[in-house]
Amino acid sequence: MPSVRMPNGRAGLTSPIDNAMVKTDSAPAGALPPAVPAGRPSIGLVLDGGGALGLAHIGVLKWFEENRIPVDRITGTSMGSLIGALYATDRSAEEIEEVATGAELQNIFHLSVDYDQLSYRRREDRRQMPGAFEVGLKGGISLRNALLTDRGLNAFLHDEFHSYDGDHVRFDELPIPFRCVSTDLNTLHKVIFYGGSIPLAVRASIAIPGIFAPVKYQDHYLVDGAIMENLPTEVAKNDLRSDVVIAVLLPSTEFADSDVASVVGVFARAFSAGTARNESESMKLATVLLTPDTGKYGVGDYGNAKNLIEIGYSAAKAQRDKLLQYQLSPDAWKEYLADKHSRRRAHPGMLETVKIQGGSAGAKQSVSESLKPLEGKPIEPRPIIQALNRVQNNQTYEAEFVTLSPQRPYGAMNETMAAGPDNGVLVDLEPTRNGPPFLLVGADITAMTDNVTRGTLDLRLLNNDLGGYRSELRTDLRIGFLTQASTEYYRRLRENGLFVQPHAGLLRQPVYIFSGQHRIAERLQQNAGGGLDFGRTYHSRAQLAGEWRYEAVRWHTQSGSDFRPNLSGTAQTGVVHFTYNSLNAGQLASRGVLFDVAGGALYHSLASQNAPVAHLNAMYSTTFADKNIVGFGISADTYFRRNVADPLRFTLGGPMRLSASSIDEYRGTDDTLVRAAYLRRIASLPTQLGDGLYISTAYEGGEMWSPERPAFLRQDGVLGVLAATPLGSITLGGSVGDAGRRKFFFTFGRLF
């Protein structure tokens, strides 16, 4: 088993999942790295941490390759560990540049799990409560422990190091011997990885506190090594035994007033103060010190990769007189490259065995069924990650995996594993840290120039896996313009998605009655009841259910007069409901289709004749030329022109539902609404802090019919600004319609 040697002699930590080898001092870990050819010194390259600034390291490596400067050992911290690991596994500087300038690196920064990686019910949460923040209630009240989710980062690391994601191999056996540094939050010691899973080692080294979650390693939590040693020259000198230490130091940016204008700015500046102190000691061990002039860039400037790479290249070129003394002859350079290439790791092989540890019986079964189609096929990270998303998409478990090989029998990892020579994967299921239960907290605001403002505080309590895997209790409370409380218990009956769902709720809300753009009355609507759904959730995009509702309804005038009676009574509805949703976002979707249709009957209803009922909502979005979104939508509701009482009727009017008309201005038994919209992004928000700012224009046409009035058509045009942010969609716009209707409006929260 791997171990940690603590300075005070205490036993160290081990990992049952990755078997990585780590230590907390700078003595060599066992045997020395391979010797270099006689007659020349061993050269150790040390790469500093610094977020996007670390892309300058690639430019240094490009200059080294062009001038035949060998790298015999390499070590790094944080971003330096990522670049160093790529180079240590025999990627060329040109290949690393392709990674840095491609879309994948920037796509690892996500505030939340992508919409299309969520389960059907978590997609409902995101659509119904966009921008809601999550509070964990397990063991007390707690918020998330990182700004960004690490799902994208983990997938990126598995992709880049898929031949090195779990083999029991010392990093001295890589094409270039490698070390990276992390910090142990439990012991407050430096941790040096010298073997095991490279994705895990780099993930631990790059875990900037507050930005990425700590890496759980057995019972220890590891974060960015920059806290202890951002420029690990001591590791290169004493551990890797480098004769020459070439260090690349990324200078701290100069102080600016903007550094104290936000929480993130203050944290980043304070973090720089700590790293600057340990760097000053590390610099003393450097034989050659390179300092790329990255001063005008920040740690988040990944979009300026090419400029940062050029800055690194220039920094190496500026020290050419010191560096060229280590230049190899053309023949010696060929021998050096051939020696590196000979130590490349082979592909992990075919998937023959799957081992699962942790998690409930249902979760293990889900993993086993998801991975079964991959058996007998080459072990590749992306198909495995996609398969494991089936157990992660409900946000109850996090799943991580490592590859197994004949060189490491299962018994070497954990005494509960059976020994065997097969290639395979070991999956570790870790329950979500701070829940369930979870509390979602959000808000929804709509305001228009007709003096109607609707605002609610929205709360949702989720008890995932209550009573069984994938079963859950979901309870809602909305307070403000209206009061609404509801609860439902989704009981999964079969692994194939068959479910039953009893539910109950109550609603109390004011209803404004309009005539010719004038508000003539205010009514109070009160509903209380429940029902039962039975059906099947096919996958994250589709569900079919039979739904029955029973509710008591009161409909009373509060002020004014609409010349209609007050009503009290009951209503029952039974429908078959199908939903398919392939949209790529809960609100502003740039691509995909939503198709939601229901049909059935209304019966035994207050002051109404029995009536068939049907609903349709369909949307389509697509993107072209990167910055442009075109969307189309149609919705329709009908009682097939039966005379149904007013509190059960459908409505049109308000933002995105005939925006030039007042909210719910039109009430009837049959309606149709069509929308066509064009949006152009005019500004992008900082990386993954939201999609961006859009100018939007739209056409809306709606028709309403009621027994008291023949069908009439309303049309309008909309022009506005829309911001897609982590807090939800924010719109500010105006609309001009026929019949003299025009409105300005503001919305926050839901878009549709």
Side-chain angles (χ1 to χ4, degrees):
M1 294 288 287
S3 64
V4 174
R5 292 198 296 274
M6 301 287 185
N8 61 6
R10 290 179 298 169
L13 55 122
T14 61
S15 170
I17 181 170
D18 56 76
N19 212 19
M21 295 177 286
V22 299
K23 60 194 186 68
T24 59
D25 54 43
S26 293
L32 296 175
V36 300
R40 74 171 179 86
S42 60
I43 297 174
L45 180 62
V46 181
L47 303 181
D48 199 16
L53 304 182
L55 299 177
H57 298 320
I58 303 171
V60 172
L61 295 172
K62 287 182 68 175
W63 191 90
F64 277 26
E65 290 183 350
E66 289 178 7
N67 291 275
R68 304 191 302 278
I69 308 298
V71 176
D72 302 304
R73 293 96 166 83
I74 192 165
T75 184
T77 298
S78 196
M79 191 63 178
S81 74
L82 173 58
I83 303 300
L86 289 168
Y87 204 63
T89 52
D90 208 23
R91 301 288 188 91
S92 68
E94 182 179 354
E95 289 172 328
I96 300 174
E97 182 176 12
E98 290 178 1
V99 173
T101 56
E104 284 300 312
L105 184 59
Q106 294 191 53
N107 284 339
I108 69 176
F109 302 103
H110 291 264
L111 284 168
S112 58
V113 177
D114 286 347
Y115 185 72
D116 54 9
Q117 293 183 10
L118 298 174
S119 68
Y120 184 88
R121 292 181 67 80
R122 299 293 77 81
R123 286 160 69 96
E124 284 184 326
D125 295 339
R126 189 78 63 85
R127 186 168 177 80
Q128 294 166 7
M129 298 184 67
F133 67 88
E134 183 179 272
V135 180
L137 301 179
K138 182 168 70 175
I141 297 175
S142 62
L143 300 176
R144 59 194 293 175
N145 62 355
L147 177 65
L148 303 179
T149 176
D150 57 5
R151 192 77 63 84
L153 174 59
N154 292 340
F156 171 80
L157 293 174
H158 276 295
D159 267 350
E160 298 302 325
F161 301 107
H162 66 275
S163 294
Y164 303 87
D165 67 353
D167 286 328
H168 185 59
V169 59
R170 303 173 68 88
F171 290 170
D172 288 342
E173 298 172 4
L174 300 179
I176 301 176
F178 170 69
R179 302 286 188 274
C180 66
V181 178
S182 185
T183 300
D184 185 347
L185 291 181
N186 297 51
T187 65
L188 303 182
H189 284 300
K190 173 178 66 179
V191 173
I192 303 168
F193 281 85
Y194 63 89
S197 166
I198 287 185
L200 179 134
V202 173
R203 172 68 182 83
S205 183
I206 212 168
I208 305 170
I211 305 300
F212 287 114
V215 172
K216 187 177 182 181
Y217 187 85
Q218 188 72 330
D219 293 324
H220 290 241
Y221 290 88
L222 308 181
V223 295
D224 197 322
I227 298 170
M228 305 299 293
E229 190 171 9
N230 199 39
L231 187 69
T233 53
E234 184 183 15
V235 177
K237 188 72 175 178
N238 297 335
D239 189 342
L240 288 168
R241 299 298 176 90
S242 304
D243 299 318
V244 174
V245 176
I246 301 174
V248 185
L249 175 69
L250 303 170
S252 300
T253 57
E254 295 184 2
F255 177 78
D257 288 340
S258 60
D259 290 335
V260 294
S262 68
V263 172
V264 174
V266 171
F267 171 81
R269 192 64 188 173
F271 193 75
S272 297
T275 58
R277 181 177 177 84
N278 66 57
E279 283 174 342
S280 64
E281 293 298 316
S282 299
M283 290 163 55
K284 298 174 183 178
L285 294 178
T287 310
V288 180
L289 186 67
L290 309 180
T291 55
D293 184 15
T294 58
K296 71 176 184 177
Y297 294 103
V299 295
D301 282 330
Y302 290 92
N304 288 299
K306 289 187 177 295
N307 293 338
L308 287 163
I309 292 169
E310 183 60 36
I311 288 171
Y313 185 94
S314 298
K317 185 177 181 180
Q319 298 266 25
R320 61 180 292 117
D321 293 341
K322 293 182 179 180
L323 295 173
L324 287 178
Q325 61 182 301
Y326 308 114
Q327 185 181 55
L328 298 181
S329 67
D331 288 341
W333 180 252
K334 289 180 182 178
E335 293 178 2
Y336 164 77
L337 294 179
D339 182 58
K340 278 203 311 176
H341 297 339
S342 69
R343 291 195 293 274
R344 286 178 175 172
R345 298 285 297 173
H347 188 278
M350 301 295 181
L351 180 61
E352 299 172 356
T353 302
V354 174
K355 296 291 182 179
I356 307 167
Q357 61 184 27
S360 67
K364 288 179 178 178
Q365 181 183 353
S366 178
V367 170
S368 179
E369 292 181 356
S370 298
L371 290 177
K372 194 167 187 60
L374 302 180
E375 292 181 5
K377 298 179 180 179
I379 297 175
E380 297 289 351
R382 280 293 167 175
I384 294 174
I385 290 169
Q386 291 170 3
L388 292 181
N389 187 56
R390 180 176 174 181
V391 75
Q392 296 185 102
N393 64 14
N394 208 44
Q395 299 189 309
T396 307
Y397 288 101
E398 290 294 329
E400 188 52 84
F401 75 95
V402 293
T403 57
L404 308 173
S405 69
Q407 289 76 26
R408 184 180 68 177
Y410 310 135
M413 295 165 26
N414 186 296
E415 59 274 11
T416 63
M417 298 296 162
D422 298 334
N423 290 326
V425 296
L426 170 64
V427 178
D428 183 66
L429 297 178
E430 183 72 22
T432 303
R433 179 186 60 86
N434 61 344
F438 297 104
L439 178 66
L440 305 184
V441 182
D444 189 50
I445 300 172
T446 302
M448 302 190 75
T449 49
D450 57 2
N451 295 320
V452 175
T453 300
R454 296 184 174 186
T456 59
L457 173 66
D458 300 342
L459 306 173
R460 172 165 289 178
L461 181 65
L462 296 172
N463 285 275
N464 310 63
D465 286 8
L466 181 67
Y469 179 65
R470 293 287 182 165
S471 297
E472 66 178 46
L473 181 67
R474 184 161 68 181
T475 303
D476 288 345
L477 177 64
R478 303 183 69 193
I479 306 169
F481 173 80
L482 55 79
T483 301
Q484 184 175 13
S486 62
T487 188
E488 60 187 35
Y489 181 60
Y490 176 88
R491 174 67 178 180
R492 180 73 73 94
L493 302 176
R494 298 282 181 86
E495 178 61 25
N496 66 3
L498 196 67
F499 72 91
V500 62
Q501 179 176 283
H503 50 85
L506 59 87
L507 168 69
R508 186 179 188 275
Q509 70 170 349
V511 176
Y512 301 129
I513 307 299
F514 292 85
S515 177
Q517 301 189 62
H518 298 290
R519 191 167 72 189
I520 60 174
E522 178 181 337
R523 284 183 171 265
L524 178 65
Q525 180 174 349
Q526 296 172 288
N527 295 53
L532 183 69
D533 300 348
F534 177 84
R536 182 177 175 185
T537 305
Y538 287 92
H539 44 68
S540 64
R541 294 183 174 184
Q543 178 172 289
L544 175 67
E547 302 173 354
W548 173 75
R549 303 282 187 275
Y550 176 92
E551 59 185 347
V553 181
R554 293 191 64 193
W555 172 259
H556 285 218
T557 301
Q558 296 290 100
S559 63
S561 177
D562 57 6
F563 307 105
R564 299 176 188 178
N566 294 332
L567 296 174
S568 295
T570 61
Q572 296 186 58
T573 307
V575 299
V576 176
H577 186 181
F578 176 74
T579 300
Y580 175 80
N581 180 1
S582 68
L583 298 175
N584 67 335
Q587 292 295 302
L588 181 60
S590 59
R591 67 179 185 277
V593 173
L594 169 66
F595 181 75
D596 188 276
V597 61
L602 173 73
Y603 55 94
H604 299 166
S605 297
L606 75 165
S608 304
Q609 58 184 156
N610 292 343
V613 60
H615 310 275
L616 169 67
N617 184 25
M619 294 174 56
Y620 169 76
S621 291
T622 188
T623 300
F624 65 93
D626 187 47
K627 297 182 178 181
N628 304 277
I629 299 175
V630 175
F632 303 93
I634 181 170
S635 62
D637 307 284
T638 180
Y639 286 117
F640 296 89
R641 306 218 167 180
R642 302 298 203 279
N643 189 4
V644 174
D646 210 342
L648 304 177
R649 292 184 178 183
F650 310 115
T651 64
L652 285 177
M656 317 304 169
R657 290 183 57 79
L658 295 180
S659 303
S661 301
S662 298
I663 299 173
D664 295 342
E665 179 176 342
Y666 312 113
R667 307 182 65 87
T669 58
D670 301 82
D671 68 56
T672 304
L673 175 68
V674 296
R675 301 188 304 269
Y678 166 74
L679 299 91
R680 178 172 177 81
R681 189 171 67 240
I682 57 175
S684 297
L685 296 180
T687 304
Q688 291 305 322
L689 290 183
D691 188 11
L693 189 66
Y694 290 81
I695 290 289
S696 64
T697 182
Y699 162 80
E700 300 174 319
E703 183 181 81
M704 178 66 77
W705 183 92
S706 65
E708 301 83 22
R709 182 177 181 181
F712 60 91
L713 176 68
R714 290 284 180 263
Q715 302 180 81
D716 59 44
V718 184
L719 180 65
V721 178
L722 185 152
T725 78
L727 299 177
S729 298
I730 302 172
T731 62
L732 180 64
S735 179
V736 176
D738 52 12
R741 285 167 166 74
R742 42 181 63 88
K743 293 284 188 297
F744 289 102
F745 60 86
F746 167 82
T747 71
F748 169 79
R750 295 182 181 88
L751 183 59
F752 296 106

